[in-house]
Amino acid sequence: MGIALTGSERLPELVGLALRSGNSKRAHLLVSTVLGKHVPQRPAVVHGAGLELGRRVRGLLGEEAAARAVVLGYAETATGLGHSVADGLDAPYLHSTRRPVPGVAPLGGFEEEHSHATSHLLLPADPELLTGDGPLVLVDDELSTGRTILNTIRDLHARHPRGHYVVVALVDLRTPADRDRLADAAAGLGVRLDVVATADGGVELPEDVIARAERLTAATETPDLPPSATPAPLVRVALDWPAGLPDGGRHGFTVHDRARLDAALPRLARQTAEALPADARRVLVLGFEELMYAPLRLAGALAERLGGDRVRYSTTTRSPVLAVDDPGYPIRTRLAFPAHDDPQDPSSRERYAYNVAPGSDPSRRFDAVVLVVDDVADTPALHRGERALLGRLRQVTDRVVLAVLPSYQPVAAGGAGPEGGDPAAGGATGSGATAGGATGVPLYGPGFSSYRADEVAWLLKDLSGVALEAPTEEREEAVQNGGAHYAESLPVEYQPSPEYQDLFQQALHGSARRIALAVGTVAETLLRERGPGLVLASLARAGTPVGILIRRWLAFAHGLSVPHYAVSIVRGRGIDPVALRYLAAHHRAGDVVFVDGWTGKGAITRELADALAGTAFDPDLAVLADPGRCVRTYGTRDDFLIPSACLNSTVSGLVSRTVLRPGLIGPDDFHGAKHYAELAGSDVSEAFLDAVAAHFDAVRAGALQGADRLSADQDRAPDWAGWAAVERISAEYGIDSVNLVKPGVGETTRVLLRRVPWRILARRGAGADLDHVRLLAAQRGVEVEEVDGLPYTCVGLIHPRYSRGATGADGRSVTTAAEEKQ
């Protein structure tokens, strides 16, 4: 090729030369041996290279100026190097990024002309990070022309001028003209500019280097790996990452953050080591593009724990490079795989891992690879098929360990309650919400509901001062005689007896861990498939505790603060259109996930799909339990007791079921509901949430495994087996309408609490899950009939005497065969 390195003696120790693929701006690539990007290296060497540079900068600045310095690293290659420099300088750190983050506005940006991917964004959680007057230290792996540095300085100096900039690089390869250009620019801005590099020199390039490179890369085919007959096992390790600790410098990393990470590293290394084969002699910790620093520090702690010379470190990259399996060439093997983090740049859909496969040299083979990604990148595209990254890694090693870190999400600025923004909506908008039910304005606790303001925003109209309750039998007959809709009135709130309250507590104690596992499975699945920008919309009211639990899980496991709204859906009338307009105005419709507690036969699932047809909203409903087999995203398909089904408002934030009644709800109003503040003495809403959340840590590994199984399940499509079973039961008991058959523990409980039950069918041998059902049935004088072959734990049948009051598919009266026979 006629390309040669010139300069200091250390230069050949630090870099090698390779050819880029598909880059018309630059033919060659300097492959660093100490950066930990393309070439696996000892983590102490990689971290040490940055520490050395940081200490040199500290000596240059002096203690007083160093205490005011901020370090800025460049994506993607220098994010780890910049962070290591910040460690040596003991300064706060930020790196540029090519990943837009929903809800975080860029503070600035700049271009990198020669790179494969050019646009850089600056997304500090604290905008003040770049507004000080101390020195700004800019870190890149190589200083080739200085244009990227100059673009950065001009952009930032125009926003927040400062008097001193320091440029840091492993290698400085600028020509004299490039050096003069940068010096002249600094003089023009009236600033001091220093350059600190480990080695300097130059690259000699022939004039036709681009054409030569194109011919050579076209003639040299990079061999692909043959599929392995027996892929290596994949093990997921649940790292106990400190809550709220940033996973890198995308949004800033403080000196305090560094201390927290240092304290956690021995624990993280121990957890990682326990997932490795006991006899592993060569282990690679593989980071992910910009996520370089956390995997590097984990690799260093793992090396200390394992001892010897057993651990190497590198990361995946967007840069396409020619691979040639020759000892004299730095890029010997290449694994190409599809991007798995929903890249914004459509031209960058393929990613690469270099020198991970052993090639022709078996001594280069790794016994285990620990892949470290953030949760944004833990998507189905990471897992599916042999060509996915995990599939590729499983072909070249004996075990793959997957460690997923929570991607840090900055908390939006704003107040701690509705007056300072929309806390349950992630602080995204200043809605000015107040309790009182103004049109189109969310409601919050404690003014409306007993839930905290940050747990949920209720898209409802407050009807607390309106008398809407009627005894159950009167309510059924009113619907029958006047053709009224069930949502136009409310049942009298059930007041649980002491015996029933004891049963609720027993049920909660016995099933809290199981519920926590279902919550975690659903939350992890949603995060993988919908991303960290998801917006929860629970179906009020039974779905609302579930929405809060999913929100709590995402905060616990990933440091996320996701928006959560409660919205009304009414059978026969659809979902609240005013609430949909509010969601569409404040969020991207595709990010909204509708959440409920459980499915029965699937009537609400169908209602939701019908209501959202033709909109941009996704109709897929997520539930904890799907015994009806009518949704794709669920924690379990077992029919078990979710204790919140045992009670009404006293386990749902003291909020009634929703109301849609002409004269009360206008065309621009949310659907309505009441807040039963007078029942505060019986309220167990918060106790239910806390009892379940207390098990989150214990079920975390199981939830990740459950999400793995669900994501890998090729047969997740609903088969509506529950609906078919209900049709069979309807025919067997002479009931024409399936709407009089309420399958499952949750729906049967509702029949006993709200309706006029006829009889209860219980699966023979059903145990403690039905204790509360048996007690309620005895209180209502209803027969419990044990039957064989029941697909649900129990089924509630509404009394045929009141069948016209029972609601049909449109929410109005129906006539049954049983009634006609009478």
Side-chain angles (χ1 to χ4, degrees), residues 609-624:
D610 291 344
L612 298 180
T615 74
F617 291 96
D618 189 333
D620 283 348
L621 182 65
V623 299
L624 297 189

Side-chain angles (χ1 to χ4, degrees), residues 286-491:
L286 183 65
F288 158 66
E289 296 185 33
E290 294 177 9
L291 184 63
M292 296 186 70
Y293 180 73
L296 169 62
R297 298 300 310 281
L298 177 62
L302 184 63
E304 291 182 7
R305 181 175 184 85
L306 297 181
D309 188 23
R310 299 165 63 180
V311 178
R312 294 294 184 272
Y313 159 80
S314 65
T315 59
T316 66
T317 178
R318 298 185 178 201
S319 301
V321 186
L322 180 69
V324 179
D325 192 4
D326 184 282
Y329 187 73
I331 303 294
R332 297 187 60 175
T333 63
R334 181 178 82 171
L335 299 180
F337 53 91
H340 51 91
D341 61 339
D342 189 25
Q344 301 295 313
D345 179 8
S347 67
S348 182
R349 294 288 179 179
E350 191 171 58
R351 306 295 165 83
Y352 310 93
Y354 296 107
N355 294 314
V356 176
S360 60
D361 184 356
S363 68
R364 292 161 49 90
R365 180 181 176 86
F366 291 104
D367 301 315
V369 175
V370 180
L371 175 63
V372 184
V373 301
D374 60 12
D375 49 20
V376 176
D378 186 22
T379 64
L382 176 66
H383 296 259
R384 288 178 182 165
E386 292 180 344
R387 297 200 63 81
L389 175 55
L390 284 174
R392 304 292 269 165
L393 294 176
R394 294 175 69 186
Q395 296 171 21
V396 299
T397 188
D398 298 325
R399 178 178 296 185
V400 176
V401 177
L402 176 62
V404 181
L405 305 184
S407 179
Y408 180 70
Q409 298 292 307
V411 177
E419 300 300 327
D422 193 344
T429 62
S431 62
T434 58
T439 299
V441 177
L443 301 169
Y444 299 88
F448 185 88
S449 91
S450 61
Y451 291 134
R452 300 195 314 265
D454 63 325
E455 300 268 37
V456 59
W458 299 86
L459 300 188
L460 296 173
K461 182 177 181 179
D462 190 354
L463 301 178
S464 298
V466 181
L468 293 166
E469 293 79 9
T472 301
E473 288 79 3
E474 291 182 17
R475 190 165 171 264
E476 296 266 359
E477 289 184 10
V479 174
Q480 170 190 359
N481 295 333
H485 194 281
Y486 78 90
E488 295 176 8
S489 62
L490 292 172

Side-chain angles (χ1 to χ4, degrees), residues 268-286:
L268 300 175
R270 174 181 55 78
Q271 293 168 337
T272 304
E274 290 171 352
L276 294 171
D279 59 348
R281 304 304 304 169
R282 279 176 53 83
V283 177
L284 174 68
V285 176
L286 183 65

Side-chain angles (χ1 to χ4, degrees), residues 108-149:
F110 47 89
E111 292 294 316
E112 184 178 6
E113 284 91 344
H114 68 264
S115 176
H116 179 72
T118 58
S119 295
H120 291 250
L121 301 173
L122 296 178
L123 305 177
D126 179 7
E128 299 297 316
L129 185 63
L130 294 177
T131 61
D133 59 358
L136 181 62
V137 181
L138 303 149
V139 182
D140 208 350
D141 58 312
E142 65 176 85
L143 192 56
S144 52
T145 65
R147 290 192 181 96
T148 302
I149 294 291

